[in-house]
């Protein structure tokens, strides 16, 4: 059967993608950020999955305020990098896994989670920046080294899903993957965050203490972490800090949540600032 072997968590700051694309990764401002991912790049080369289930949020490219699903799963064979106003990023087209994606959709919907099925869409920096940060500037052979199932979550327009709902959804995704009758190594990645606010009187807010305490709790007691109300994220981590609920989908899919052993922390990194955002990154392996 298919299995989830690890979860990866990372911010998807668009400026990190720009720094990569313009060859600025060794500039003094950016070097500490990219150095923080070197261990994870090596880990990924040694633990390459067949498929990555990528939890991210769309930034008004595939969706808009005219139509914004709470949860949307991509079931297409290919996803082109989106033009976000200055041309698509110069990165490979993302290859999907429609068979596994359709199976997950069927299984999760039968568990009473309402998903939107997306058979065609472009993917923006929310998905491509994590791929670049973990795979490097120039993927081998001009292609990403694994297939990707995009899973878009609405954390842009309220009401957004609760951390509890996201955590429960991750558990349903794990069950769906494990019921797929093919031997696949699957990783689940949660992206977005950490603390940041892009507008208003608190624009530029970063809360290092809260971010790291939240990471501690997500690792050690994910259920309690999932019970945090939305107001905690907004008050402590800024208006865009709510993106962190997407990490709880990935955390909910780990084996310890279903009674297995605690995951191994393979890498943890935190840095401020990158643009005006706190960058968080974590790799957990199922024991």
């Amino acid at each position: 059967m298919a299995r989830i072997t690890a979860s990866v968590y990372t911010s998807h700051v668009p400026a990190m993608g720009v720094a990569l694309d313009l060859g600025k990764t060794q500039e003094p401002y950016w070097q500490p950020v990219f150095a923080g991912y070197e261990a994870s790049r090596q880990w990924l080369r040694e633990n390459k999955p067949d498929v990555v289930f990528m939890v991210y949020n769309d930034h008004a490219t595939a969706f808009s305020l005219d139509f914004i699903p709470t949860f949307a799963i991509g079931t297409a064979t290919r996803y082109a990098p989106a033009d976000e106003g200055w041309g698509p990023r110069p990165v490979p087209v993302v290859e999907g896994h429609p068979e596994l994606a359709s199976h997950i959709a069927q299984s999760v919907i039968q568990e009473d989670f309402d998903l939107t099925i997306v058979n065609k869409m472009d993917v923006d920096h929310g998905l491509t920046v994590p791929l670049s940060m973990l795979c490097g500037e120039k993927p081998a052979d001009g292609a990403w080294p694994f297939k990707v199932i995009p899973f878009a979550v609405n954390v842009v327009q309220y009401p957004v899903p609760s951390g509890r709902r996201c955590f429960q959804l991750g558990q349903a995704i794990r069950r769906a993957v494990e019921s797929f009758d093919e031997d696949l190594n699957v990783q689940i990645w949660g992206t977005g965050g950490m603390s940041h606010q892009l507008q208003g009187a608190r624009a530029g807010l970063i809360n290092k203490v809260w971010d790291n305490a939240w990471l501690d709790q997500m690792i050690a007691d994910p259920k309690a972490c999932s019970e945090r109300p939305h107001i905690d994220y907004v008050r402590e981590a800024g208006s865009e800090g709510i993106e962190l609920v997407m990490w709880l989908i990935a955390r909910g899919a780990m084996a310890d949540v279903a009674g297995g052993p605690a995951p191994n922390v393979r890498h943890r990194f935190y840095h401020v600032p990158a643009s005006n955002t706190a960058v968080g990154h974590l790799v957990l392996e199922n024991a």
Side-chain angles (χ1 to χ4, degrees):
M1 66 180 184
R3 66 216 179 276
I4 292 177
T5 57
S7 53
V8 174
Y9 311 80
T10 180
S11 302
H12 58 217
V13 183
M16 296 193 304
V18 174
L20 274 161
D21 299 341
L22 298 180
K24 295 185 176 184
T25 61
Q26 297 306 308
E27 292 186 357
Y29 180 87
W30 287 110
Q31 196 278 332
V33 177
F34 289 94
Y37 284 78
E38 289 176 2
S40 295
R41 293 192 197 104
Q42 180 61 36
W43 171 84
L44 188 63
R45 286 191 290 270
E46 297 170 355
N47 298 273
K48 188 179 77 170
D50 300 304
V51 184
V52 165
F53 188 95
M54 179 79 75
V55 184
Y56 75 108
N57 64 290
D58 177 78
H59 300 80
T61 52
F63 311 118
S64 72
L65 295 186
D66 293 332
F67 172 74
I68 183 163
T70 301
F71 300 117
I73 187 167
T75 55
T77 57
R78 304 174 83 243
Y79 306 90
D83 183 346
E84 300 181 59
W86 47 85
R89 287 192 64 214
V91 294
V93 168
V94 175
E95 300 292 334
H97 198 299
E99 297 82 10
L100 178 58
S102 297
H103 173 82
I104 292 172
Q106 165 75 16
S107 178
V108 169
I109 289 171
Q110 288 299 306
E111 289 203 34
D112 301 327
F113 290 89
D114 298 321
L115 306 186
T116 297
I117 310 300
V118 184
N119 294 315
K120 181 180 180 181
M121 68 174 171
D122 294 342
V123 290
D124 68 16
H125 71 268
L127 186 140
T128 64
V129 166
L131 289 175
S132 293
M133 296 301 292
L134 271 294
C135 298
E137 297 177 47
K138 296 181 180 179
D141 303 322
W144 300 117
F146 40 73
K147 296 185 177 181
V148 177
I149 297 173
F151 192 83
V153 180
N154 170 34
V155 288
V156 175
Q157 176 65 47
Y158 278 84
V160 305
S162 67
R164 180 178 63 254
R165 186 66 167 165
C166 289
F167 187 59
Q168 293 169 345
L169 176 56
Q171 296 169 60
I173 290 167
R174 177 190 54 77
R175 291 188 290 267
V177 169
E178 291 179 351
S179 67
F180 187 66
D181 191 19
E182 186 177 338
D183 185 21
L184 291 175
N185 178 348
V186 180
Q187 293 179 5
I188 182 166
W189 294 14
T191 75
M194 294 192 81
S195 62
H196 62 300
Q197 179 152 326
L198 303 180
Q199 72 292 308
R202 297 198 307 165
L205 179 148
I206 290 176
N207 190 337
K208 299 179 185 180
V209 173
W210 190 90
D211 284 343
N212 281 288
W214 189 90
L215 272 174
D216 290 341
Q217 187 179 47
M218 189 195 70
I219 295 167
D221 191 354
K223 185 177 186 301
C225 190
S226 76
E227 299 292 336
R228 288 177 178 265
H230 284 161
I231 191 62
D232 282 8
Y233 293 89
V234 175
R235 180 190 298 118
E236 302 295 340
S239 54
E240 279 70 42
I242 193 63
E243 290 179 351
L244 284 170
V245 298
M246 297 188 291
W247 294 30
L248 290 165
I249 296 178
R251 187 65 182 90
M254 295 297 284
D256 65 314
V257 177
N264 296 318
V265 179
R266 291 301 304 268
H267 185 55
R268 177 171 171 172
F269 172 67
Y270 183 84
H271 177 80
V272 293
S275 184
N276 56 356
T277 304
V279 173
H281 174 44
L282 179 69
V283 176
L284 299 181
E285 269 187 349
N286 275 326

